[in-house]
């Protein structure tokens, strides 16, 4: 996953939030990049919440003291599924700090430098529920949430778009398990890490991530058989 996604306050995202039991609405945001703020759904002591969070798990105060940035030492906006149970960075959070990131689509680029084509990729009939991990950082009295998006090994029907990985997009039947902080035995989650496309995807060539204007023939990638 190259590191851009978008979320649009439309009926598809509203349906997703309703399934998640979130009464508030998302804020539409285009071209969300690592270090920018997305919104995550996770369990708190007061119940399930939708909150702003910085996209990159490891963050630090900016040198000028104005806000926060991803750690310059480590890239933590994606977490490979194969290392969730073993890496010291992910292991604790995988066991008890899982989140869902609502989205409408994500972006990938193909082609050579200077001639790259951007694509907006999204399910045909639904919003996206990215699987993620989160952390709550305390910086000089500020409580600052951050998150990472879990990725799977490449899918054969998606390699021409991204040869290295595909984000883990949860289905509604998986939401409760993924968000349950009491589920510290992660064995029931292992089936999610089999690379598969759960529902058809549109792959739209676009002029820019900020406008999402289609600029060519749209490809449809069919879902894998159940």
């Amino acid at each position: 996953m190259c590191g851009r996604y978008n979320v649009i306050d439309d009926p598809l995202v509203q349906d997703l939030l309703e399934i998640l039991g979130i009464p508030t609405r998302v804020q539409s945001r285009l071209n969300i990049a690592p270090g920018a703020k997305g919104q995550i759904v996770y369990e708190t002591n007061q119940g399930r919440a939708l909150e702003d969070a910085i996209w990159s798990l490891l963050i630090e105060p900016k040198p000028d003291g104005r806000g926060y940035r991803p750690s310059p030492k480590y890239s933590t906006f994606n977490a490979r599924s194969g290392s969730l149970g073993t890496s010291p960075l992910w292991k604790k959070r995988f066991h008890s700090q899982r989140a869902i990131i609502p989205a409408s689509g994500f972006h990938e680029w193909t082609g050579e430098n200077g001639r790259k084509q951007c694509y907006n990729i999204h399910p045909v009939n639904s919003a996206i529920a990215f699987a993620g991990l989160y952390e709550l950082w305390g910086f000089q009295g500020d409580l600052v949430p951050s998150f990472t998006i879990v990725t799977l090994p490449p899918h054969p029907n998606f390699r021409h778009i991204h040869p290295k990985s595909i984000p883990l997009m949860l289905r509604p039947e998986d939401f409760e398990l993924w968000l349950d902080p009491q589920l510290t035995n992660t064995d029931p989650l292992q089936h999610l890490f089999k690379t598969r496309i759960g529902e058809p995807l549109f792959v739209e060539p676009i002029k820019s991530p900020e406008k999402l204007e289609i600029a060519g023939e749209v490809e449809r990638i069919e879902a894998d058989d159940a």
Side-chain angles (χ1 to χ4, degrees):
M1 184 175 176
C2 282
R4 294 287 193 280
Y5 76 93
N6 61 71
V7 60
I8 299 168
D9 182 16
D10 65 10
L12 294 179
V13 173
Q14 291 165 23
D15 287 347
L16 172 61
L17 293 184
E18 183 176 345
I19 294 171
L20 288 167
I22 299 295
T24 55
R25 299 174 72 162
V26 298
Q27 296 178 5
S28 293
R29 299 173 186 179
L30 301 181
N31 201 22
I32 300 170
K37 287 185 177 180
Q39 291 186 292
I40 66 172
V41 176
Y42 69 106
E43 296 285 358
T44 74
N45 291 334
Q46 289 76 42
R48 196 168 289 176
L50 173 73
E51 288 191 10
D52 278 1
I54 296 173
W55 185 16
S56 282
L57 193 76
L58 297 183
I59 58 174
E60 64 181 24
K62 291 181 179 179
D64 62 7
R66 298 179 181 178
Y68 305 93
R69 68 178 187 182
S71 167
K73 296 181 180 180
Y74 306 100
S75 175
T76 59
F77 63 92
N78 286 163
R80 289 183 295 179
S81 60
S83 62
L84 292 180
T86 57
S87 167
L89 177 59
W90 310 127
K91 188 174 181 180
K92 171 181 174 292
R93 285 128 181 162
F94 176 44
H95 281 269
S96 60
Q97 293 170 226
R98 299 181 297 270
I100 287 176
I101 298 91
S104 298
F106 63 98
H107 302 313
E108 303 287 2
W109 281 258
T110 65
E112 301 176 356
N113 288 338
R115 301 182 63 183
K116 285 186 177 292
Q117 174 63 58
C118 180
Y119 293 90
N120 184 47
I121 300 127
H122 63 89
V124 172
N125 293 311
S126 69
I128 296 173
F130 288 130
L133 311 177
Y134 75 93
E135 185 57 82
L136 302 176
W137 300 97
F139 294 115
Q140 299 178 344
D142 289 340
L143 187 64
V144 187
S146 67
F147 71 96
T148 186
I149 292 175
V150 176
T151 61
L152 301 172
H155 189 283
N157 295 339
F158 196 73
R159 285 180 184 270
H160 63 297
I161 300 297
H162 198 292
K164 295 183 178 180
S165 65
I166 189 170
L168 173 50
M169 294 173 275
L170 298 171
R171 301 298 303 275
E173 58 265 29
D174 303 314
F175 293 171
E176 295 301 317
L177 274 179
W178 187 261
L179 290 177
D180 184 358
Q182 305 304 317
L183 182 67
T184 56
N185 174 4
T186 56
D187 289 348
L189 301 173
Q190 296 306 310
H191 70 284
L192 298 175
F193 305 132
K194 178 182 178 182
T195 300
R196 65 185 306 273
I197 294 175
E199 54 185 298
L201 299 174
F202 279 146
V203 180
E204 301 170 343
I206 56 173
K207 290 187 176 180
S208 75
E210 291 81 9
K211 293 183 180 179
L212 303 181
E213 183 179 351
I214 295 176
E217 185 175 350
V218 176
E219 178 185 1
R220 177 177 169 131
I221 299 178
E222 296 298 337
D224 296 320
D225 294 334

